[in-house]
Amino acid sequence: MKLKIKLPLLFLLMLLILMFSIGLYLKFVFAVYSPIRTTLLDSRYIALLLPIFAIAGCIFFILIIYIHFRIEKPIRRLNTRLGEVNVVHPLPPLALKRKDEIGELYKHFNKMEHRLQLAHREQTDMIAAIAHDLKTPLTSINGFTELLATHKDLPETEKQEYYELIQRKSAYMVELLNDFSSFTKEKLELESMVAKPVKATELFEEIAFEYEYELAGLDIELTCRHSFTDSIRLMVNEPMIRRVFGNLFSNAVRYGGKHKLKVYMTGYLREHYAYFQMEDNGIGVPDKDMSSLFLKFFTVDQSRQIQKGGLGLGLASCKSIIEHHGGEIVAYSSEYGGLGIRFSLPLAVQR
């Protein structure tokens, strides 16, 4: 029960107990004693009122005890924990089995602490990932340039091969830095994002038409279906959402890992959200890695990342965009055998 209901009921109950006790007491007093005809400061009046004050004092004491143990103490405990938050050495979650506002406060605090720990881990992973991804090509470039500097008598054909390798490694480094720059720029754009009503049917069909031909050129089959009507409108920033679809299609093509790859795009309505699903029949993702797919710089296979390119920011970007729209995005094992991604977008308010 919520505190805004529980506390008024508690005070009302205490008041009723007080009034009932006073009523019984006065009935007893006037049944035994005749009315006292004197001033209110008479000692006999004061003696009669003492039990009433004692009852009121007991009720007041009970209220103080309740407020101390049920409100003040949990808040003081939470306040102490705020000063002990440590993202490097996380503490056990705060436990409080209550379903009122204070219970919700504890639950939200635990979620906040988890997000802080996750953000700290992502920052650490970001530094490690950038260092690793830049170190590998830099080591190769240093090796090739040292070889060219120390062996000046190499054949021209061999020198040309080394120059081309250096060029490819340099281009790969530029691509990594561009990906990272685009991701950070996108984060800034999301802060000032403007959402507008967009027809769900038009958005879905335009995306399907655009990528159907693009995937056909790569010998990939795209199957699309939706249950939207013309009256359904989404409250979105359309360029951002198109970027999400672009990342998901690119991810499927890059990491699908199957010769006859098929991609399935589905759209449907549930309550106040429109849902979109992207699935494929590729090699999929191990269950142990499913929860980490949306982390920045995470890739299932590092060697595959080097071969295919990219920093592992595509799905992290999708998550940022969808959550800024007020939706959610999850990964799962598709019934077609590969990876499935499902995300939701809020509907525009009908006027």
Side-chain angles (χ1 to χ4, degrees), residues 3 40 42 70 114 131 142 148 187 190-191 207 242 258 290 322 327:
L3 282 176
L40 291 175
D42 190 281
R70 301 291 293 176
H114 175 70
N142 286 335
L148 289 169
K187 297 288 285 185
L190 284 172
E191 299 300 327
I207 295 291
R242 287 181 176 273
K258 195 170 184 178
M290 200 69 73
I322 296 302

Side-chain angles (χ1 to χ4, degrees), residues 51 214 230:
E214 184 175 328
D230 289 339

Side-chain angles (χ1 to χ4, degrees), residues 200 227-228 232-236 267-276 322-329 342-349:
S227 57
F228 300 133
I232 297 174
R233 293 177 178 270
L234 311 175
M235 198 64 183
V236 298
Y268 58 92
L269 189 68
R270 183 180 294 170
E271 296 180 351
H272 303 294
Y273 290 87
Y275 284 81
F276 296 86
I322 296 302
E323 289 183 347
H324 268 77
H325 279 82
E328 293 182 347
I329 185 167
R342 176 172 54 248
F343 64 89
S344 58
L345 293 172
L347 302 181
V349 178

